[in-house]
Amino acid sequence: MASGGMGDGGSSRGVGRSQHQENVEYLYASLKQVYKKAFLPLEEYYSFPDFFSPTMSDNDIDAKPFVLLLGQYSVGKTSFINHLLGDRPQGYPGSNVGPEPTTDRFMAIMHGKEDRVLPGNAVAVSPGKPFRGLQIFGNAFLQKFQCAEMRSEILESMTLIDTPGVLSGEKQRIGRNYDMSNVCKWFAERSDLILILFDAHKLDISDELKTVIEGLRGHDDKIRIVLNKADQVNPQQLMRVYGALMWSLGKVFKTPEVTRVYISSFWRREYAAAGAQSQILFDREKDDLFRDLRDIPKNAAVRRVNELVKRARTAKVHSLVCACLRKMMPAMFGKEKKQKELLANLEIIFQAVAQEHGISPGDFPDAEIYREKLIRWTGTGRNLSSLPKLNKELVKRLDDCLANDIPALLRPLAMGNEGNEWERESMNMIQQYDQPAHSSAFDVSTQDQNEDALAWASLARQAAGKSDEDGDVSWEGVKSLHRPAKHHQPSQGGHFDREQPGGARGKLQAS
Protein backbone atom coordinates (compact mmCIF):
# COMPACT_ATOMS: atom_id res chain seq x y z
CA MET A 1 0.00 0.00 0.00
CA ALA A 2 1.23 3.49 -0.75
CA SER A 3 2.56 5.21 2.31
CA GLY A 4 0.83 8.31 3.63
CA GLY A 5 1.92 11.90 3.17
CA MET A 6 3.51 14.21 5.65
CA GLY A 7 0.25 15.73 6.76
CA ASP A 8 -0.11 16.71 10.39
CA GLY A 9 1.55 13.47 11.38
CA GLY A 10 4.68 14.45 9.49
CA SER A 11 5.70 16.55 12.52
CA SER A 12 7.70 19.20 10.73
CA ARG A 13 7.52 21.45 13.80
CA GLY A 14 10.15 19.81 15.96
CA VAL A 15 10.16 19.86 19.75
CA GLY A 16 8.99 23.07 21.34
CA ARG A 17 10.52 26.48 20.89
CA SER A 18 14.23 25.69 20.62
CA GLN A 19 17.16 28.00 21.09
CA HIS A 20 17.85 27.48 17.38
CA GLN A 21 14.47 29.02 16.54
CA GLU A 22 15.23 32.03 18.73
CA ASN A 23 18.59 32.43 17.00
CA VAL A 24 16.83 32.31 13.63
CA GLU A 25 14.40 35.04 14.69
CA TYR A 26 17.26 37.26 15.86
CA LEU A 27 19.04 36.55 12.56
CA TYR A 28 16.02 37.68 10.55
CA ALA A 29 15.67 40.83 12.67
CA SER A 30 19.34 41.64 12.13
CA LEU A 31 19.18 40.91 8.39
CA LYS A 32 16.32 43.38 8.00
CA GLN A 33 18.45 46.13 9.53
CA VAL A 34 21.54 45.11 7.57
CA TYR A 35 19.60 45.15 4.30
CA LYS A 36 18.15 48.61 4.97
CA LYS A 37 21.49 50.12 5.98
CA ALA A 38 23.97 48.41 3.64
CA PHE A 39 22.05 46.89 0.70
CA LEU A 40 19.08 49.17 0.03
CA PRO A 41 20.96 52.49 -0.42
CA LEU A 42 23.16 51.00 -3.14
CA GLU A 43 20.17 49.34 -4.86
CA GLU A 44 18.22 52.59 -4.93
CA TYR A 45 21.21 54.67 -6.04
CA TYR A 46 21.87 52.44 -9.08
CA SER A 47 18.20 51.66 -9.95
CA PHE A 48 18.74 47.97 -9.22
CA PRO A 49 14.99 47.11 -9.45
CA ASP A 50 14.90 48.38 -13.05
CA PHE A 51 17.47 45.78 -14.08
CA PHE A 52 16.92 42.88 -11.68
CA SER A 53 14.35 42.21 -8.93
CA PRO A 54 12.37 44.71 -6.82
CA THR A 55 13.70 45.90 -3.49
CA MET A 56 13.00 43.56 -0.60
CA SER A 57 10.53 44.21 2.20
CA ASP A 58 10.67 42.85 5.75
CA ASN A 59 8.19 40.16 4.75
CA ASP A 60 10.50 39.00 1.95
CA ILE A 61 13.31 38.41 4.45
CA ASP A 62 11.46 36.58 7.22
CA ALA A 63 8.84 34.83 5.05
CA LYS A 64 8.35 31.11 5.46
CA PRO A 65 10.23 28.96 2.92
CA PHE A 66 8.53 28.52 -0.46
CA VAL A 67 8.18 25.16 -2.22
CA LEU A 68 7.38 25.73 -5.90
CA LEU A 69 5.74 23.00 -7.99
CA LEU A 70 6.00 23.10 -11.78
CA GLY A 71 4.99 20.74 -14.56
CA GLN A 72 2.68 20.19 -17.50
CA TYR A 73 -1.03 19.77 -16.94
CA SER A 74 -2.35 16.62 -15.31
CA VAL A 75 0.98 15.41 -13.94
CA GLY A 76 -0.35 15.43 -10.37
CA LYS A 77 0.83 18.75 -8.89
CA THR A 78 -2.39 19.48 -7.00
CA SER A 79 -2.76 15.83 -5.94
CA PHE A 80 0.84 15.94 -4.69
CA ILE A 81 0.06 18.99 -2.52
CA ASN A 82 -3.12 17.42 -1.16
CA HIS A 83 -1.10 14.30 -0.31
CA LEU A 84 1.41 16.40 1.64
CA LEU A 85 -1.43 18.08 3.51
CA GLY A 86 -2.95 14.80 4.65
CA ASP A 87 -5.24 13.82 1.75
CA ARG A 88 -8.29 15.76 2.88
CA PRO A 89 -11.32 14.60 0.87
CA GLN A 90 -12.06 18.14 -0.30
CA GLY A 91 -8.39 19.03 -0.89
CA TYR A 92 -6.98 22.43 -0.03
CA PRO A 93 -9.39 25.39 -0.41
CA GLY A 94 -9.94 26.22 -4.06
CA SER A 95 -8.25 23.09 -5.40
CA ASN A 96 -9.61 21.04 -8.29
CA VAL A 97 -8.25 17.73 -9.58
CA GLY A 98 -8.93 16.13 -12.95
CA PRO A 99 -7.34 14.70 -16.11
CA GLU A 100 -7.85 18.00 -17.97
CA PRO A 101 -5.99 21.28 -17.15
CA THR A 102 -7.90 22.10 -13.95
CA THR A 103 -5.55 24.50 -12.13
CA ASP A 104 -5.68 27.65 -14.26
CA ARG A 105 -4.05 29.98 -11.74
CA PHE A 106 -1.15 30.32 -9.33
CA MET A 107 -2.14 29.27 -5.81
CA ALA A 108 -0.15 30.08 -2.67
CA ILE A 109 -1.19 27.61 0.03
CA MET A 110 -0.47 29.08 3.46
CA HIS A 111 -1.37 28.41 7.08
CA GLY A 112 -4.48 30.15 8.40
CA LYS A 113 -7.01 29.91 11.20
CA GLU A 114 -9.79 28.90 8.84
CA ASP A 115 -10.27 27.66 5.29
CA ARG A 116 -10.57 30.56 2.86
CA VAL A 117 -9.39 31.77 -0.55
CA LEU A 118 -8.09 35.32 -0.98
CA PRO A 119 -8.02 37.08 -4.38
CA GLY A 120 -4.69 38.04 -5.89
CA ASN A 121 -5.08 41.83 -5.80
CA ALA A 122 -5.85 41.74 -2.08
CA VAL A 123 -2.95 39.38 -1.37
CA ALA A 124 -0.47 41.52 -3.32
CA VAL A 125 -1.14 44.57 -1.12
CA SER A 126 -1.46 42.68 2.16
CA PRO A 127 1.24 43.94 4.57
CA GLY A 128 1.54 40.54 6.25
CA LYS A 129 2.25 38.49 3.11
CA PRO A 130 5.43 38.34 0.98
CA PHE A 131 3.73 38.91 -2.39
CA ARG A 132 3.98 42.68 -2.92
CA GLY A 133 6.57 42.12 -5.65
CA LEU A 134 3.95 40.41 -7.82
CA GLN A 135 2.35 43.78 -8.56
CA ILE A 136 4.95 44.32 -11.29
CA PHE A 137 3.11 41.70 -13.42
CA GLY A 138 -0.06 43.77 -13.46
CA ASN A 139 -3.72 43.07 -13.04
CA ALA A 140 -3.78 40.45 -15.81
CA PHE A 141 -1.64 38.16 -13.66
CA LEU A 142 -3.14 39.08 -10.28
CA GLN A 143 -6.54 37.95 -11.57
CA LYS A 144 -4.92 34.53 -12.05
CA PHE A 145 -3.34 34.45 -8.57
CA GLN A 146 -4.97 33.39 -5.31
CA CYS A 147 -3.95 32.53 -1.77
CA ALA A 148 -5.54 29.54 -0.02
CA GLU A 149 -5.38 29.45 3.78
CA MET A 150 -6.03 26.37 5.90
CA ARG A 151 -4.98 24.75 9.15
CA SER A 152 -2.04 22.41 8.64
CA GLU A 153 1.05 21.73 10.67
CA ILE A 154 3.31 21.52 7.63
CA LEU A 155 2.09 24.95 6.49
CA GLU A 156 3.23 26.44 9.79
CA SER A 157 6.80 26.09 8.54
CA MET A 158 6.51 26.52 4.74
CA THR A 159 4.32 27.86 1.92
CA LEU A 160 3.42 25.70 -1.08
CA ILE A 161 3.03 27.27 -4.55
CA ASP A 162 0.77 25.42 -6.99
CA THR A 163 1.04 26.52 -10.61
CA PRO A 164 -1.05 26.14 -13.77
CA GLY A 165 -0.19 23.23 -16.01
CA VAL A 166 2.35 24.29 -18.61
CA LEU A 167 0.74 24.33 -22.04
CA SER A 168 2.07 23.25 -25.43
CA GLY A 169 1.69 24.29 -29.05
CA GLU A 170 -0.81 26.97 -30.02
CA LYS A 171 -2.43 26.95 -26.58
CA GLN A 172 0.62 28.51 -24.96
CA ARG A 173 0.50 31.49 -27.31
CA ILE A 174 -3.20 32.28 -26.90
CA GLY A 175 -3.89 30.94 -23.42
CA ARG A 176 -1.77 33.35 -21.36
CA ASN A 177 -2.16 37.10 -20.94
CA TYR A 178 0.90 37.29 -18.68
CA ASP A 179 4.51 36.12 -18.94
CA MET A 180 4.50 32.62 -17.44
CA SER A 181 8.29 32.32 -17.51
CA ASN A 182 8.96 35.58 -15.65
CA VAL A 183 6.33 34.82 -13.02
CA CYS A 184 7.89 31.40 -12.39
CA LYS A 185 11.31 33.05 -12.21
CA TRP A 186 10.01 35.47 -9.55
CA PHE A 187 8.78 32.57 -7.41
CA ALA A 188 11.95 30.55 -8.06
CA GLU A 189 14.16 33.36 -6.71
CA ARG A 190 12.24 33.19 -3.43
CA SER A 191 11.82 29.43 -3.20
CA ASP A 192 13.89 27.04 -1.12
CA LEU A 193 12.88 24.00 -3.19
CA ILE A 194 11.61 23.69 -6.78
CA LEU A 195 9.85 20.46 -7.72
CA ILE A 196 9.32 19.76 -11.44
CA LEU A 197 6.78 16.96 -11.86
CA PHE A 198 6.53 14.56 -14.79
CA ASP A 199 3.96 11.88 -15.56
CA ALA A 200 5.35 8.44 -16.38
CA HIS A 201 3.21 8.57 -19.55
CA LYS A 202 3.94 12.22 -20.39
CA LEU A 203 7.68 12.82 -20.66
CA ASP A 204 7.77 15.35 -23.49
CA ILE A 205 8.98 18.85 -22.65
CA SER A 206 6.90 21.49 -24.41
CA ASP A 207 8.31 24.79 -25.65
CA GLU A 208 6.75 26.69 -22.76
CA LEU A 209 8.07 24.24 -20.15
CA LYS A 210 11.52 24.49 -21.73
CA THR A 211 11.34 28.29 -21.49
CA VAL A 212 10.24 28.06 -17.86
CA ILE A 213 13.08 25.67 -16.97
CA GLU A 214 15.64 27.84 -18.76
CA GLY A 215 14.38 30.77 -16.68
CA LEU A 216 15.36 28.84 -13.55
CA ARG A 217 19.05 29.05 -14.49
CA GLY A 218 21.04 30.05 -11.45
CA HIS A 219 18.77 28.08 -9.13
CA ASP A 220 19.94 24.61 -10.13
CA ASP A 221 20.73 23.69 -6.52
CA LYS A 222 17.05 24.08 -5.61
CA ILE A 223 15.62 21.92 -8.40
CA ARG A 224 14.39 18.35 -7.88
CA ILE A 225 12.59 16.16 -10.40
CA VAL A 226 9.56 14.06 -9.43
CA LEU A 227 8.56 11.17 -11.71
CA ASN A 228 4.96 10.77 -10.60
CA LYS A 229 2.45 7.97 -11.31
CA ALA A 230 5.35 5.52 -11.60
CA ASP A 231 3.17 2.65 -10.39
CA GLN A 232 1.34 2.69 -13.71
CA VAL A 233 4.23 0.89 -15.45
CA ASN A 234 6.06 -2.36 -14.71
CA PRO A 235 9.75 -2.39 -13.65
CA GLN A 236 11.08 -2.96 -17.16
CA GLN A 237 9.00 -0.10 -18.56
CA LEU A 238 9.99 2.08 -15.60
CA MET A 239 13.65 1.62 -16.44
CA ARG A 240 13.01 2.80 -19.99
CA VAL A 241 10.84 5.68 -18.80
CA TYR A 242 13.59 6.84 -16.45
CA GLY A 243 16.16 6.72 -19.24
CA ALA A 244 13.90 8.69 -21.58
CA LEU A 245 13.27 11.29 -18.88
CA MET A 246 16.98 11.80 -18.23
CA TRP A 247 17.61 12.12 -21.98
CA SER A 248 14.90 14.81 -22.26
CA LEU A 249 16.22 16.70 -19.24
CA GLY A 250 19.76 16.57 -20.59
CA LYS A 251 18.69 18.76 -23.51
CA VAL A 252 17.30 21.43 -21.18
CA PHE A 253 19.62 21.45 -18.17
CA LYS A 254 23.05 22.64 -19.30
CA THR A 255 24.88 21.39 -16.22
CA PRO A 256 27.16 18.34 -15.84
CA GLU A 257 25.56 17.43 -12.51
CA VAL A 258 22.64 15.01 -12.50
CA THR A 259 19.47 16.43 -10.98
CA ARG A 260 17.97 14.31 -8.18
CA VAL A 261 14.93 12.36 -9.40
CA TYR A 262 12.29 10.96 -7.02
CA ILE A 263 10.30 8.03 -8.44
CA SER A 264 6.96 7.14 -6.87
CA SER A 265 3.21 7.79 -6.95
CA PHE A 266 2.21 10.58 -4.60
CA TRP A 267 -1.30 9.88 -3.42
CA ARG A 268 -2.96 7.74 -0.76
CA ARG A 269 -4.03 4.93 -3.07
CA GLU A 270 -3.03 1.35 -3.51
CA TYR A 271 -0.19 1.00 -5.97
CA ALA A 272 -1.41 -0.30 -9.34
CA ALA A 273 -0.78 -3.95 -10.14
CA ALA A 274 1.78 -3.02 -12.79
CA GLY A 275 4.01 -1.36 -10.21
CA ALA A 276 3.43 -3.69 -7.28
CA GLN A 277 6.91 -5.23 -7.66
CA SER A 278 8.46 -1.77 -7.14
CA GLN A 279 6.56 -1.00 -3.93
CA ILE A 280 9.69 -0.94 -1.73
CA LEU A 281 11.44 1.42 -4.16
CA PHE A 282 8.42 3.74 -4.31
CA ASP A 283 8.08 3.90 -0.52
CA ARG A 284 11.77 4.67 -0.02
CA GLU A 285 11.76 7.35 -2.68
CA LYS A 286 8.70 8.92 -1.13
CA ASP A 287 10.31 8.88 2.31
CA ASP A 288 13.45 10.53 0.88
CA LEU A 289 11.44 13.37 -0.63
CA PHE A 290 9.40 13.92 2.53
CA ARG A 291 12.63 13.97 4.53
CA ASP A 292 14.00 16.69 2.26
CA LEU A 293 10.80 18.68 2.71
CA ARG A 294 10.98 18.36 6.50
CA ASP A 295 14.58 19.63 6.42
CA ILE A 296 13.63 22.83 4.60
CA PRO A 297 12.70 24.85 7.73
CA LYS A 298 16.00 23.86 9.39
CA ASN A 299 18.04 25.27 6.51
CA ALA A 300 15.77 28.21 5.65
CA ALA A 301 17.79 30.81 7.58
CA VAL A 302 21.11 29.84 5.98
CA ARG A 303 19.53 29.78 2.52
CA ARG A 304 18.03 33.22 3.12
CA VAL A 305 21.49 34.56 3.94
CA ASN A 306 22.85 32.81 0.85
CA GLU A 307 20.25 34.50 -1.37
CA LEU A 308 21.03 37.90 0.17
CA VAL A 309 24.75 37.40 -0.47
CA LYS A 310 24.04 36.48 -4.11
CA ARG A 311 21.86 39.59 -4.42
CA ALA A 312 24.59 41.77 -2.90
CA ARG A 313 27.22 40.47 -5.31
CA THR A 314 24.90 41.13 -8.24
CA ALA A 315 24.17 44.65 -6.96
CA LYS A 316 27.87 45.40 -6.57
CA VAL A 317 28.67 44.23 -10.10
CA HIS A 318 25.75 46.27 -11.43
CA SER A 319 27.02 49.41 -9.70
CA LEU A 320 30.55 48.99 -11.08
CA VAL A 321 29.30 48.35 -14.63
CA CYS A 322 27.01 51.40 -14.49
CA ALA A 323 29.87 53.60 -13.29
CA CYS A 324 32.17 52.27 -16.02
CA LEU A 325 29.60 52.88 -18.78
CA ARG A 326 28.95 56.41 -17.58
CA LYS A 327 32.69 57.20 -17.44
CA MET A 328 33.16 56.11 -21.06
CA MET A 329 30.36 58.33 -22.42
CA PRO A 330 31.50 61.61 -24.04
CA ALA A 331 30.67 64.85 -22.26
CA MET A 332 29.18 66.70 -25.24
CA PHE A 333 29.02 65.26 -28.77
CA GLY A 334 28.66 61.77 -30.22
CA LYS A 335 26.72 60.29 -27.33
CA GLU A 336 24.37 58.23 -29.48
CA LYS A 337 27.18 56.66 -31.49
CA LYS A 338 29.26 55.93 -28.39
CA GLN A 339 26.27 54.41 -26.61
CA LYS A 340 25.66 51.97 -29.47
CA GLU A 341 29.33 51.03 -29.45
CA LEU A 342 29.35 50.40 -25.70
CA LEU A 343 26.19 48.30 -25.79
CA ALA A 344 27.52 46.23 -28.67
CA ASN A 345 30.73 45.50 -26.74
CA LEU A 346 29.24 44.84 -23.33
CA GLU A 347 31.27 41.65 -22.88
CA ILE A 348 34.48 43.72 -23.11
CA ILE A 349 33.10 46.13 -20.48
CA PHE A 350 32.54 43.16 -18.17
CA GLN A 351 36.14 42.03 -18.66
CA ALA A 352 37.42 45.53 -17.89
CA VAL A 353 35.39 45.80 -14.70
CA ALA A 354 36.44 42.30 -13.65
CA GLN A 355 40.13 43.13 -13.96
CA GLU A 356 39.94 46.64 -12.52
CA HIS A 357 38.01 45.62 -9.38
CA GLY A 358 39.03 42.00 -8.89
CA ILE A 359 35.55 40.61 -9.56
CA SER A 360 35.09 36.99 -10.58
CA PRO A 361 33.75 36.68 -14.16
CA GLY A 362 31.10 34.30 -12.80
CA ASP A 363 29.49 37.17 -10.85
CA PHE A 364 28.45 39.04 -14.00
CA PRO A 365 24.95 38.66 -15.45
CA ASP A 366 24.24 37.23 -18.88
CA ALA A 367 25.51 39.88 -21.29
CA GLU A 368 22.64 39.50 -23.76
CA ILE A 369 19.94 39.84 -21.11
CA TYR A 370 21.73 42.76 -19.47
CA ARG A 371 22.09 44.46 -22.86
CA GLU A 372 18.33 44.16 -23.45
CA LYS A 373 17.63 45.74 -20.06
CA LEU A 374 20.01 48.60 -20.77
CA ILE A 375 18.37 49.20 -24.15
CA ARG A 376 14.94 49.22 -22.50
CA TRP A 377 16.21 51.57 -19.78
CA THR A 378 17.71 53.99 -22.31
CA GLY A 379 14.53 53.86 -24.38
CA THR A 380 12.71 56.04 -21.85
CA GLY A 381 14.46 59.24 -22.89
CA ARG A 382 17.68 58.52 -21.00
CA ASN A 383 21.16 57.60 -22.16
CA LEU A 384 24.16 55.96 -20.52
CA SER A 385 25.35 59.36 -19.32
CA SER A 386 22.36 59.32 -16.96
CA LEU A 387 23.80 56.36 -15.04
CA PRO A 388 25.17 57.23 -11.59
CA LYS A 389 28.87 57.71 -10.85
CA LEU A 390 30.75 55.22 -8.70
CA ASN A 391 29.83 55.76 -5.04
CA LYS A 392 32.81 54.34 -3.16
CA GLU A 393 31.18 54.79 0.23
CA LEU A 394 28.14 52.64 -0.64
CA VAL A 395 30.28 49.93 -2.24
CA LYS A 396 32.64 49.86 0.74
CA ARG A 397 29.74 49.62 3.16
CA LEU A 398 28.41 46.61 1.27
CA ASP A 399 31.86 44.99 1.17
CA ASP A 400 32.33 45.47 4.92
CA CYS A 401 28.93 43.95 5.58
CA LEU A 402 29.64 40.86 3.48
CA ALA A 403 33.16 40.37 4.79
CA ASN A 404 32.48 40.83 8.51
CA ASP A 405 28.89 41.27 9.64
CA ILE A 406 27.19 38.47 7.70
CA PRO A 407 29.67 35.78 8.89
CA ALA A 408 29.22 37.02 12.45
CA LEU A 409 25.44 36.64 12.16
CA LEU A 410 25.84 33.08 10.93
CA ARG A 411 28.16 32.03 13.77
CA PRO A 412 25.48 30.98 16.31
CA LEU A 413 23.67 28.82 13.73
CA ALA A 414 26.92 27.05 12.88
CA MET A 415 28.15 26.63 16.44
CA GLY A 416 24.87 25.97 18.20
CA ASN A 417 25.65 28.47 20.97
CA GLU A 418 23.08 29.74 23.41
CA GLY A 419 22.85 32.96 21.45
CA ASN A 420 22.49 35.50 24.26
CA GLU A 421 25.94 36.98 23.69
CA TRP A 422 25.33 36.90 19.95
CA GLU A 423 22.07 38.83 20.40
CA ARG A 424 23.90 41.64 22.20
CA GLU A 425 26.61 41.68 19.55
CA SER A 426 24.00 41.80 16.79
CA MET A 427 22.36 44.82 18.36
CA ASN A 428 25.77 46.50 18.61
CA MET A 429 26.39 45.75 14.93
CA ILE A 430 23.04 47.28 13.95
CA GLN A 431 23.83 50.41 15.95
CA GLN A 432 27.11 50.73 14.05
CA TYR A 433 25.15 51.39 10.86
CA ASP A 434 23.66 54.50 12.44
CA GLN A 435 27.12 56.02 12.95
CA PRO A 436 28.50 58.47 10.33
CA ALA A 437 31.48 56.25 9.56
CA HIS A 438 30.64 52.57 9.32
CA SER A 439 32.93 50.10 11.04
CA SER A 440 32.35 46.42 11.59
CA ALA A 441 31.14 45.42 15.04
CA PHE A 442 33.04 42.17 14.84
CA ASP A 443 36.40 40.85 13.92
CA VAL A 444 35.39 37.25 13.36
CA SER A 445 38.98 36.19 12.91
CA THR A 446 39.58 36.87 16.62
CA GLN A 447 36.66 34.80 17.80
CA ASP A 448 37.04 31.35 19.27
CA GLN A 449 35.34 29.50 16.40
CA ASN A 450 34.98 25.86 15.63
CA GLU A 451 35.44 24.33 12.20
CA ASP A 452 31.81 24.78 11.15
CA ALA A 453 31.77 28.45 12.06
CA LEU A 454 34.96 29.03 10.08
CA ALA A 455 33.31 27.37 7.09
CA TRP A 456 30.36 29.76 7.30
CA ALA A 457 32.65 32.74 7.61
CA SER A 458 34.70 31.56 4.63
CA LEU A 459 31.53 31.17 2.54
CA ALA A 460 30.50 34.77 3.09
CA ARG A 461 34.02 36.16 2.70
CA GLN A 462 34.37 34.47 -0.68
CA ALA A 463 31.14 36.18 -1.68
CA ALA A 464 32.38 39.61 -0.67
CA GLY A 465 35.19 40.39 -3.11
CA LYS A 466 37.41 43.43 -2.58
CA SER A 467 36.44 46.97 -3.49
CA ASP A 468 39.09 48.78 -5.49
CA GLU A 469 39.77 52.36 -6.42
CA ASP A 470 37.49 54.17 -8.82
CA GLY A 471 37.62 52.45 -12.18
CA ASP A 472 38.25 55.49 -14.33
CA VAL A 473 39.04 53.90 -17.65
CA SER A 474 39.23 54.96 -21.26
CA TRP A 475 37.44 53.24 -24.09
CA GLU A 476 40.67 52.59 -25.98
CA GLY A 477 42.09 50.83 -22.95
CA VAL A 478 38.99 48.68 -22.62
CA LYS A 479 38.98 47.71 -26.29
CA SER A 480 42.52 46.40 -25.89
CA LEU A 481 41.02 43.59 -23.85
CA HIS A 482 39.46 42.23 -27.00
CA ARG A 483 42.83 41.64 -28.66
CA PRO A 484 43.73 37.95 -28.84
CA ALA A 485 46.68 38.05 -26.44
CA LYS A 486 47.58 36.54 -23.11
CA HIS A 487 46.84 39.72 -21.25
CA HIS A 488 43.46 38.77 -19.81
CA GLN A 489 43.76 35.08 -19.08
CA PRO A 490 42.08 34.10 -15.79
CA SER A 491 44.50 33.48 -12.99
CA GLN A 492 44.41 30.39 -10.81
CA GLY A 493 41.31 30.50 -8.63
CA GLY A 494 38.94 31.90 -11.26
CA HIS A 495 39.77 35.64 -10.89
CA PHE A 496 41.53 37.75 -13.49
CA ASP A 497 45.14 38.44 -12.57
CA ARG A 498 45.17 42.17 -11.90
CA GLU A 499 48.92 42.37 -11.33
CA GLN A 500 50.02 40.56 -14.49
CA PRO A 501 52.58 42.72 -16.35
CA GLY A 502 51.13 44.11 -19.54
CA GLY A 503 47.68 42.86 -18.61
CA ALA A 504 44.42 44.72 -18.95
CA ARG A 505 45.01 46.65 -15.76
CA GLY A 506 48.16 48.10 -17.28
CA LYS A 507 46.30 49.07 -20.43
CA LEU A 508 43.44 50.79 -18.63
CA GLN A 509 44.26 54.47 -18.73
CA ALA A 510 43.11 56.93 -16.15
CA SER A 511 40.87 59.48 -17.70
Side-chain angles (χ1 to χ4, degrees), residues 188-246:
E189 291 174 349
R190 291 153 181 81
S191 296
D192 287 59
L193 186 67
I194 303 171
L195 298 178
I196 305 179
L197 278 74
F198 289 89
D199 188 328
H201 291 97
K202 197 180 299 180
L203 300 178
D204 60 305
I205 298 179
S206 66
D207 292 341
E208 187 178 37
L209 181 57
K210 181 180 179 181
T211 302
V212 169
I213 294 177
E214 289 175 345
L216 304 180
R217 196 164 297 164
H219 306 285
D220 300 333
D221 58 315
K222 305 177 184 180
I223 297 176
R224 304 290 185 272
I225 306 298
V226 177
L227 181 56
N228 199 16
K229 306 181 184 179
D231 64 328
Q232 304 297 311
V233 296
N234 62 44
Q236 183 182 18
Q237 293 171 330
L238 181 60
M239 179 182 66
R240 294 173 179 170
V241 166
Y242 178 80
L245 175 61
M246 298 305 293

Side-chain angles (χ1 to χ4, degrees), residues 109-176:
I109 302 96
M110 309 182 72
H111 185 268
K113 296 181 179 179
E114 59 183 6
D115 289 7
R116 62 174 182 170
V117 178
L118 304 176
N121 280 285
V123 175
V125 298
S126 175
K129 290 183 168 55
F131 300 112
R132 284 179 172 263
L134 290 173
Q135 297 180 67
I136 63 174
F137 299 109
N139 189 59
F141 166 74
L142 293 176
Q143 289 180 343
K144 294 293 186 179
F145 173 62
Q146 291 180 339
C147 176
E149 294 185 345
M150 60 177 287
R151 285 183 176 272
S152 174
E153 186 171 347
I154 187 176
L155 294 179
E156 292 179 8
S157 55
M158 68 181 68
T159 296
L160 304 176
I161 307 296
D162 196 3
T163 60
V166 178
L167 304 176
S168 60
E170 185 69 17
K171 291 181 290 185
Q172 72 189 39
R173 291 191 289 271
I174 64 176
R176 311 274 193 215

Side-chain angles (χ1 to χ4, degrees), residues 254-313:
K254 307 299 183 182
T255 58
E257 297 83 7
V258 178
T259 306
R260 176 68 162 95
V261 179
Y262 298 96
I263 305 172
S264 188
S265 294
F266 294 90
W267 49 36
R268 193 188 296 272
R269 300 182 187 175
E270 295 280 351
Y271 289 132
Q277 299 179 48
S278 305
Q279 176 179 337
I280 297 177
L281 169 66
F282 295 156
D283 288 344
R284 288 179 177 175
E285 290 284 289
K286 186 179 295 188
D287 291 342
D288 286 347
L289 177 54
F290 289 162
R291 188 182 304 112
D292 286 350
L293 288 170
R294 284 193 291 268
D295 287 342
I296 288 177
K298 302 177 186 176
N299 303 321
V302 175
R303 186 174 288 276
R304 193 61 44 83
V305 173
N306 182 63
E307 293 300 318
L308 276 174
V309 170
K310 288 169 57 178
R311 183 184 182 94
R313 295 174 69 177

Side-chain angles (χ1 to χ4, degrees), residues 247-406:
W247 182 80
S248 298
L249 293 174
K251 297 190 297 183
V252 180
F253 289 98
K254 307 299 183 182
T255 58
E257 297 83 7
V258 178
T259 306
R260 176 68 162 95
V261 179
Y262 298 96
I263 305 172
S264 188
S265 294
F266 294 90
W267 49 36
R268 193 188 296 272
R269 300 182 187 175
E270 295 280 351
Y271 289 132
Q277 299 179 48
S278 305
Q279 176 179 337
I280 297 177
L281 169 66
F282 295 156
D283 288 344
R284 288 179 177 175
E285 290 284 289
K286 186 179 295 188
D287 291 342
D288 286 347
L289 177 54
F290 289 162
R291 188 182 304 112
D292 286 350
L293 288 170
R294 284 193 291 268
D295 287 342
I296 288 177
K298 302 177 186 176
N299 303 321
V302 175
R303 186 174 288 276
R304 193 61 44 83
V305 173
N306 182 63
E307 293 300 318
L308 276 174
V309 170
K310 288 169 57 178
R311 183 184 182 94
R313 295 174 69 177
T314 302
K316 177 182 176 180
V317 166
H318 172 64
S319 67
L320 298 177
V321 171
C322 287
C324 184
L325 290 171
R326 175 193 169 95
K327 182 62 66 175
M328 293 180 184
M329 288 291 291
M332 295 291 293
F333 304 105
K335 290 186 176 182
E336 183 176 353
K337 179 181 178 181
K338 178 62 69 174
Q339 178 170 296
K340 292 180 179 179
E341 185 179 6
L342 291 173
L343 292 176
N345 294 275
L346 200 56
E347 293 84 356
I348 305 177
I349 302 296
F350 286 177
Q351 291 181 6
V353 173
Q355 292 196 25
E356 183 67 14
H357 296 276
I359 306 295
S360 170
D363 287 347
F364 287 82
D366 181 89
E368 190 60 38
I369 296 176
Y370 195 74
R371 182 181 294 109
E372 292 176 0
K373 293 178 179 178
L374 280 171
I375 293 174
R376 186 165 57 247
W377 187 82
T378 56
T380 57
R382 296 172 287 193
N383 56 49
L384 296 182
S385 298
S386 305
L387 292 170
K389 296 181 180 179
L390 180 63
N391 190 317
K392 296 181 184 180
E393 180 183 354
L394 293 180
V395 174
K396 184 178 185 303
R397 186 187 302 180
L398 185 65
D399 282 337
D400 290 344
C401 173
L402 292 175
N404 300 306
D405 300 331
I406 295 296

